[in-house]
Amino acid sequence: MSRFWSDTARRLTPYVPGEQPKLDKLVKLNTNESPYGPSPRAVEAIQHAASEDLRRYPDPNSDALKAALARYHSVSPAQVFVGNGSDEVLAHAFIALLKHAAPLRFPDITYSFYPVYCGLFDIAHTPIPLTDSLEIDPADYAAGGPIIFPNPNAPTGRLLAIDAVEAILAANPDVPVVVDEAYIDYGGESAIPLVDRHPNLLVTRTFSKSRALAGLRVGYAIGSAELIEGLERVKNSFNSYPLGRPAQAGAIASVEDEPHFRDSCARVIATREWLDQALTALGFEVLPSAANFVFARHPAHAGATLAAALREQAIIVRHFKLPRIDDYLRITVGTDEECAALVDALKALV
Ligand SMILES: *Cc1c(COP(=O)(O)O)cnc(C)c1O
């Protein structure tokens, strides 16, 4: 604490991202990055954008990127919002759409940035417990305040079927519902086709996971034009130029390289299935995952102990010291070699 801090800065409990250790030869399975590189066309476009033109501000509205995303998702450009990573898109959604008189609702176990934004923006919120099997039950989301949840959920990896997502929307037509689809490309069914029927639905996406561009910082949202306009109002009251020229160029090239995208998602899904079976064979309980990570616990070994022991062998996974999930490890699906190294290390530990 410093006497120079505002009351706001004093009150905050900031989000703690997974560590990015500066060590070589690390098996880094803690932050759900892609084990494969981005589209070579994206890298080329970013390099091409690193030119004299950088003296000029970028397009404040990222119109070319919005047009590419609109084409990709078969919506109109007025239904697309882009931002500096989906975390920024989410922050704007919290201010523009999720701060109402009735408390915001989200699962008790979910992306831990949500309560952080509530603290920053002073948003009342109510956690809705996941079921005993760590699933979202649509019956728990009867009419009430606004709603946000990831699908698949993080850090459980569990997918909510599209008809269950629609049941939540149908029960809540008068409040915004945000579905954070950071991991939808690993086998889930997107809610984007529902935006035309549900003007209260906002779907957020990121280039950080399935498009392997975490370092570029690009995220977006798809929804009705009225929801998007609300986000634009906040964005233009905060930062007119959230995406630089290289980010806009790289993101467009990524969207236009469908074969690379499909191939890397398919490889991650195949390795995830292998990892699930290998961990199950070691006695782990592995939740069914539709993401690029698995969430698993061992009946005889504490999560914190396993995470610390792996760390000594330069294998980094994520452990959350939180009620209900303290026993679990969240393990990012890496390359086949990285996952084999993890399983070998666990074999010796359990
Ligand atoms: C990774 C992640 C994000 C943030 O992605 P960025 O675009 O890198 O900011 C958002 N939501 C969930 C659930 C995530 O896991």
Side-chain angles (χ1 to χ4, degrees):
M1 289 287 170
S2 158
R3 67 196 169 95
F4 299 119
W5 293 357
S6 67
D7 283 346
T8 303
R10 285 162 182 271
R11 268 192 293 109
L12 299 178
T13 313
Y15 176 74
V16 182
E19 57 181 331
Q20 299 285 354
K22 292 172 184 60
L23 293 171
D24 293 339
K25 294 224 181 148
L26 206 59
V27 176
K28 191 174 174 303
L29 304 176
N30 68 330
T31 52
N32 299 342
E33 290 144 328
S34 170
Y36 308 114
S39 159
R41 288 166 58 179
V43 175
E44 203 180 301
I46 293 162
Q47 284 165 346
H48 188 72
S51 74
E52 275 289 294
D53 290 345
L54 285 173
R55 72 193 178 84
R56 299 247 190 239
Y57 281 106
D59 173 2
N61 299 317
S62 301
D63 282 331
L65 175 55
K66 284 182 182 172
L69 288 167
R71 265 194 310 278
Y72 188 78
H73 289 295
S74 306
V75 297
S76 82
Q79 293 176 288
V80 183
F81 179 82
V82 299
N84 191 260
S86 66
D87 285 339
E88 187 189 77
V89 175
L90 289 166
H92 292 343
F94 273 69
I95 305 177
L97 307 174
L98 301 179
K99 184 172 182 169
H100 287 276
L104 172 63
R105 294 174 289 166
F106 49 77
D108 62 338
I109 296 161
T110 195
Y111 188 34
S112 40
F113 228 129
Y114 301 160
V116 173
Y117 289 137
C118 289
L120 177 59
F121 303 129
D122 211 4
I123 299 173
H125 55 287
T126 313
I128 309 285
L130 295 178
T131 64
D132 289 343
S133 51
L134 301 184
E135 288 176 276
I136 292 172
D137 182 350
D140 294 333
Y141 292 81
I147 297 167
I148 182 167
F149 60 90
N151 195 35
N153 195 11
T156 64
R158 297 207 75 144
L159 180 73
L160 191 62
I162 196 70
D163 51 326
V165 174
E166 194 154 26
I168 292 175
L169 287 162
N172 292 274
D174 298 320
V175 290
V177 175
V178 176
V179 183
D180 176 350
E181 292 190 342
Y183 301 105
I184 198 70
D185 296 321
Y186 300 104
E189 191 177 344
S190 174
I192 289 176
L194 303 179
V195 297
D196 285 332
R197 284 208 299 283
H198 297 277
N200 59 328
L201 167 63
L202 187 80
V203 178
T204 63
R205 291 285 190 97
T206 177
F207 282 71
S208 298
K209 315 278 164 58
S210 55
R211 294 190 177 274
L213 287 167
L216 198 64
R217 310 305 303 132
V218 183
Y220 61 102
I222 307 274
S224 61
E226 60 182 306
L227 295 189
I228 300 302
E229 196 187 336
L231 295 174
E232 297 287 356
R233 288 171 69 89
V234 172
K235 173 247 174 196
N236 288 319
S237 306
F238 178 76
N239 180 4
S240 313
Y241 303 101
L243 291 190
R245 288 169 174 269
Q248 294 184 34
I252 292 168
S254 170
V255 174
E256 289 174 349
D257 192 351
E258 186 69 5
H260 178 91
F261 166 72
R262 286 203 179 279
D263 180 60
S264 63
C265 291
R267 289 164 77 187
V268 167
I269 291 169
T271 307
R272 178 185 74 207
E273 301 313 304
W274 178 86
L275 181 60
D276 182 328
Q277 283 168 25
L279 292 173
T280 304
L282 291 181
F284 281 87
E285 281 171 46
V286 187
L287 294 188
S289 170
N292 67 340
F293 56 85
V294 297
F295 204 50
R297 70 175 167 189
H298 197 283
H301 298 272
T305 313
L306 287 176
L310 287 170
R311 197 171 205 295
E312 286 185 5
Q313 301 177 49
I315 299 173
I316 312 227
V317 300
R318 194 96 197 253
H319 172 256
F320 298 91
K321 215 167 158 347
L322 292 173
R324 297 188 77 188
I325 56 169
D326 197 32
D327 283 343
Y328 284 84
L329 297 177
R330 192 196 69 187
I331 305 167
T332 302
V333 177
T335 60
D336 290 343
E337 294 72 29
E338 288 171 326
C339 290
L342 168 91
V343 168
D344 283 347
L346 285 172
K347 210 174 273 173
L349 292 169
V350 305

